Amino acid sequence: MWLAFGHSPGMDIEFEAPLWEWHGGKASWFFVSLPADVASDIRFASAGRPRAGFGSIKVTVRIGRQTWRTSLFPDKASGSYLLPIKKSVRVGESLAVGDRARVALTLVDI
C-alpha cells in the first residue's frame, strides 16, 4: 500500500516492501525495491529535475523511529528504484532479510 500527495519536491510516499541483500565481492548491501506503482509516481514527480550521481534521486526516509537522507538508485533490470538500508537502521528496527519494511520517503532537492 502506498500514498502519494502531489507531484513535486517534498512529495510524500509510504509503502511496504521486503528487505533483500545483494552480495558484491567482499561487501553486502541491503535494499528495498520500490513497488512498480511507486516507482512510476517517482519518475513522474522527478521528471526534469536535476539528478545526482548514477541518476539517483535524493530523498529523506523514515523506517520506524529511524530517519535519514539517502538516494534512490534506478534499477534497469526491474525498471524500479532501489533504496539502500544502512546497518544502523536494520539493527535499530530489528530488520532482517525478507522482513517487510514500512517506508515513508520524501523527495528533496539536490
Side-chain angles (χ1 to χ4, degrees):
M1 179 169 124
W2 62 272
L3 303 169
F5 306 102
H7 293 287
S8 61
M11 177 177 165
D12 297 318
I13 298 172
E14 294 185 22
F15 63 93
E16 286 187 12
L19 180 71
W20 58 274
E21 183 177 7
W22 177 81
H23 300 281
K26 296 179 183 179
S28 290
W29 295 82
F30 295 83
F31 296 96
V32 168
S33 297
L34 276 63
D37 51 354
V38 173
S40 179
D41 278 354
I42 288 175
R43 257 190 304 285
F44 178 78
S46 64
R49 294 178 58 202
R51 301 287 176 110
F54 304 103
S56 63
I57 299 170
K58 299 287 186 185
V59 293
T60 299
V61 181
R62 181 177 43 79
I63 295 178
R65 299 175 315 268
Q66 312 287 322
T67 300
W68 75 103
R69 283 190 78 163
T70 189
S71 297
L72 299 175
F73 294 92
D75 179 32
K76 290 180 184 179
S78 69
S80 187
Y81 292 94
L82 305 180
L83 171 64
I85 309 297
K86 59 187 185 173
K87 184 177 182 177
S88 63
V89 173
R90 296 189 319 270
V91 170
E93 297 302 321
S94 301
L95 288 173
V97 170
D99 289 347
R100 293 188 65 80
R102 179 124 182 104
V103 178
L105 61 85
T106 302
L107 299 180
V108 297
D109 289 323
I110 294 180

